[in-house]
C-alpha cells in the first residue's frame, strides 16, 4: 500500500537546514557522478531540494517532474530567484511522464517511491526514459522512527526495496546516508 502524498502546504519543511545534515544534495551529485553534459530527471521533484543543485552541475536540461502543480510552481519560483534556466518543468505522475524514451543520463527519485502505486509501472517508466548505461538513484526513509519523515507504516524497509529492485535489474548498490535515510543506486 502506498503512503500518503506529501502536501505542498508543508513544502518549506523540504528545505529545512536539518535535512542537509541527514542528506545533502552534494552527496547525491557525487554518487550520481553528475557531469556537465548529463541530462537529468528528478522524478517527484517537489520544490527542488535536489533539482536546483543538480541544475547547477550540468549545462544540459534537468527535467523536474511532480504530480502536484503547486510544487512545480514553488520550484519555478525558487529557480527564477536563483536565475537558473536549465530546468524543464512537468506536472505528471512518475509512472507516466512525457519524457522521451532513452533520453536521461542520470535520474533521481527522492522520498517518493513509498508514495506511488503500482511500483512496477514506475519501474517501467524509469527503464523507458533512461539511456543505456544510465544511472538512477532512489532515496527513501528507513522503516524506523525518526524526527523527520512519514510515519513508519508508510516507509519501505531498505531490505524490502533492495530485494524488489534486484528483481528489476542486476546492477544494484545499497547506500546508507543516515540511520533513517538510505539509497539504492541502479546502473542500466
Amino acid at each position: 500500500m502506498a503512503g500518503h502524498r506529501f502536501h505542498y502546504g508543508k513544502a518549506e519543511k523540504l528545505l529545512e537546514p536539518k535535512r542537509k545534515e541527514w542528506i545533502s544534495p552534494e552527496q547525491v551529485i557525487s554518487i550520481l557522478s553528475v557531469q556537465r553534459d548529463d541530462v537529468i530527471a528528478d522524478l517527484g521533484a517537489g520544490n527542488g531540494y535536489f533539482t536546483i543543485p543538480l541544475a547547477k552541475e550540468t549545462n544540459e536540461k534537468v527535467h523536474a517532474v511532480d504530480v502536484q502543480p503547486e510544487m512545480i510552481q514553488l520550484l519555478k519560483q525558487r529557480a527564477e530567484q536563483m536565475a537558473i534556466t536549465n530546468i524543464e518543468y512537468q506536472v505528471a505522475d512518475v509512472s507516466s511522464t512525457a519524457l522521451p524514451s532513452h533520453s536521461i543520463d542520470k535520474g533521481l527519485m527522492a522520498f517518493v517511491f513509498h508514495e506511488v502505486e503500482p511500483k512496477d509501472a514506475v519501474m517501467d517508466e524509469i527503464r523507458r526514459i533512461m539511456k543505456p548505461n544510465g544511472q538512477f538513484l532512489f532515496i527513501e526513509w528507513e522503516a524506523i522512527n525518526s524526527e523527520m519523515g512519514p510515519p513508519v507504516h508508510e516507509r519501505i524497509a531498505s531490505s524490502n526495496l533492495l530485494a524488489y529492485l534486484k528483481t528489476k535489474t542486476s546492477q544494484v548498490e545499497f547506500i546508507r546516508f543516515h540511520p533513517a535515510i538510505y539509497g539504492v543506486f541502479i546502473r542500466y
Side-chain angles (χ1 to χ4, degrees):
M1 183 167 150
H4 76 283
R5 183 167 291 131
F6 186 86
H7 192 272
Y8 68 88
K10 299 178 186 176
E12 72 284 346
K13 287 184 172 225
L14 300 176
L15 302 174
E16 288 180 355
K18 176 103 177 147
R19 195 171 191 208
K20 263 196 166 176
E21 295 172 21
W22 289 29
I23 183 168
S24 72
E26 293 76 21
Q27 288 173 291
V28 169
I29 289 164
S30 175
I31 289 165
L32 286 171
S33 301
V34 174
Q35 304 298 310
R36 300 305 290 170
D37 61 347
D38 283 337
V39 178
I40 302 170
D42 187 352
L43 303 180
N47 61 356
Y49 179 76
F50 293 107
T51 315
I52 288 174
L54 287 165
K56 290 178 181 179
E57 293 297 316
T58 183
N59 294 325
E60 297 297 326
K61 293 291 181 191
V62 175
H63 297 276
V65 178
D66 203 285
V67 72
Q68 297 182 74
E70 299 88 352
M71 283 292 203
I72 291 292
Q73 191 56 42
L74 291 169
L75 171 53
K76 279 183 185 177
Q77 290 169 0
R78 289 187 63 232
E80 287 170 6
Q81 289 169 356
M82 297 179 190
I84 295 171
T85 59
N86 63 331
I87 300 173
E88 294 284 324
Y89 307 94
Q90 185 181 138
V91 176
D93 188 280
V94 295
S95 66
S96 181
T97 73
L99 298 175
S101 295
H102 310 295
S103 62
I104 304 299
D105 296 295
K106 309 283 171 68
L108 171 69
M109 182 180 287
F111 308 110
V112 172
F113 202 61
H114 71 276
E115 296 180 356
V116 298
E117 290 293 344
K119 297 197 182 324
D120 285 348
V122 175
M123 291 304 299
D124 290 345
E125 181 66 0
I126 291 169
R127 182 178 304 282
R128 184 188 70 75
I129 67 171
M130 296 303 296
K131 288 181 180 178
N133 302 313
Q135 300 172 355
F136 197 91
L137 178 63
F138 289 92
I139 301 171
E140 273 298 338
W141 296 102
E142 186 61 85
I144 61 171
N145 285 312
S146 62
E147 62 185 272
M148 287 190 278
V152 173
H153 71 274
E154 293 183 6
R155 300 177 184 209
I156 304 172
S158 56
S159 58
N160 292 348
L161 183 56
L162 193 59
Y164 171 76
L165 293 175
K166 284 182 176 179
T167 69
K168 301 297 177 186
T169 185
S170 60
Q171 296 186 48
V172 178
E173 179 184 340
F174 178 79
I175 300 160
R176 176 68 66 190
F177 292 102
H178 178 275
I181 298 173
Y182 66 92
V184 181
F185 180 76
I186 296 173
R187 288 180 185 87
Y188 282 96

